[in-house]
Amino acid sequence: MSGSNSPLVFITGASSGIGQALAKTYYQAGWRVALVARRSAELSEWAQGAGFEAARHEVYGADVRDVAAITQAGRDCIARQGLPDVVIANAGISVGMDTAFAEDLEVMRSTFETNNLGMAATFQPFVTPMRERGSGTLVGIASVAAIRGLPGHGAYCASKAAVVSYCESLRGECRSSGVKVVTLLPGYIATPLTSQNRYGMPFLMKADDFAERAFAAISTGASYRVIPWQMGVVAKLMRALPNAWFDRLLAGRPRKHRRGE
């Protein structure tokens, strides 16, 4: 398939990490891609360097925290490339915080604006036309960090737990329309987001390996998937632990670093 006959995927946070790996995976599978990032010039340069054909990709510059900008990017995508078959709300940030510091409240604000409001704003332009068409898939990238709160990680863990609940709500709202909602929970993926972590990261995956498994999960219409599966087992065990045991297990574990630490 090529050109306008190919299916179309819309991906936010496509300039690095998981988003870039997903863009490459979908493109290599024959899809057209709509790529969104704040650093649009850098993203365009990467796509051209990776050999993306002009007819099969478009780049849109938008910060998902800017509701007007990201919703306009969605409308521009529909106008230029058509209504996507898959929309992946991947853009996200992870910064440590400590509630004892007043300035870290802004970390929580920006985290929720990016990881939660940004996700809803990413989906918004596509929900009604997908319902009218009777098909489409909306993919929310959560995290295994949604399962339990980790020291120094309050903003990120809370935001990703909210992603899981939000996508579950949206799935129920879209069920009768033929639109699917997929929630993906990555474990530890080797990206710039995790490169500064100062604690052990079991089952660490390459971004390209994650993207291949994510592509398969989305294609089969899975409603919820932890990748890799081993982290899914760990997450279930962690969730089942009594609070006293969980707290003891994390005692002495290095906390997520704050900005500037």
Side-chain angles (χ1 to χ4, degrees):
M1 293 181 290
S2 63
S4 60
N5 294 323
S6 303
L8 173 64
V9 60
F10 182 94
I11 305 171
T12 63
S15 62
S16 66
I18 287 175
Q20 194 172 90
L22 286 167
K24 184 166 60 174
T25 296
Y26 271 92
Y27 184 85
Q28 291 175 346
W31 287 55
R32 292 178 297 131
V33 294
L35 307 177
V36 185
R38 291 174 298 163
R39 304 186 298 271
S40 57
E42 180 180 317
L43 179 54
S44 293
E45 183 177 353
W46 171 81
Q48 292 170 11
F52 283 25
E53 299 173 8
R56 288 181 53 203
H57 88 280
E58 288 277 356
V59 171
Y60 303 90
D63 184 336
V64 298
R65 294 180 298 175
D66 184 338
V67 170
I70 187 59
T71 54
Q72 185 61 52
R75 291 190 293 270
D76 288 344
C77 172
I78 294 172
R80 295 182 197 174
Q81 297 176 276
L83 181 61
D85 301 273
V86 174
V87 173
I88 304 178
N90 164 75
I93 60 173
S94 173
V95 181
M97 69 167 291
D98 186 334
T99 307
F101 294 87
E103 60 269 29
D104 281 12
L105 297 179
E106 289 303 316
V107 170
M108 177 165 273
R109 183 199 303 276
S110 62
T111 300
F112 271 79
E113 285 179 348
T114 303
N115 297 356
N116 303 105
L117 178 60
M119 178 173 291
T122 296
F123 290 155
Q124 192 280 324
F126 304 110
V127 172
T128 295
M130 279 185 170
R131 284 173 172 169
E132 291 173 347
R133 185 179 62 187
S135 67
T137 302
L138 304 171
V139 182
I141 303 296
S143 168
V144 73
I147 305 301
R148 298 214 66 155
L150 301 173
H153 230 335
Y156 185 72
C157 290
S159 73
K160 291 303 185 178
V163 166
V164 173
S165 294
Y166 166 72
C167 288
E168 188 169 43
S169 297
L170 186 61
R171 188 171 73 246
E173 295 166 11
C174 293
R175 183 173 292 116
S176 62
S177 68
V179 178
K180 298 177 181 177
V181 178
V182 176
T183 310
L184 297 181
L185 287 77
Y188 292 112
I189 312 299
T191 69
L193 204 66
T194 59
S195 63
Q196 301 301 313
N197 287 349
R198 53 191 183 188
Y199 43 77
M201 295 183 284
F203 309 113
L204 182 68
M205 291 185 73
K206 294 180 179 179
D208 287 345
D209 293 336
F210 169 83
E212 290 179 4
R213 298 189 196 185
F215 178 83
I218 295 166
S219 298
T220 59
S223 61
Y224 180 99
R225 182 71 56 84
V226 179
I227 302 173
W229 66 265
Q230 294 94 331
M231 282 303 297
V233 173
V234 171
K236 287 182 179 179
L237 292 173
M238 295 287 277
R239 182 68 269 174
L241 282 178
N243 286 346
W245 292 13
F246 178 74
D247 294 346
R248 191 174 303 120
L249 179 66
L250 292 187
R253 181 182 190 266
R255 61 184 299 284
K256 176 75 173 181
H257 62 277
R258 296 172 59 241
R259 182 175 286 128
E261 286 186 339

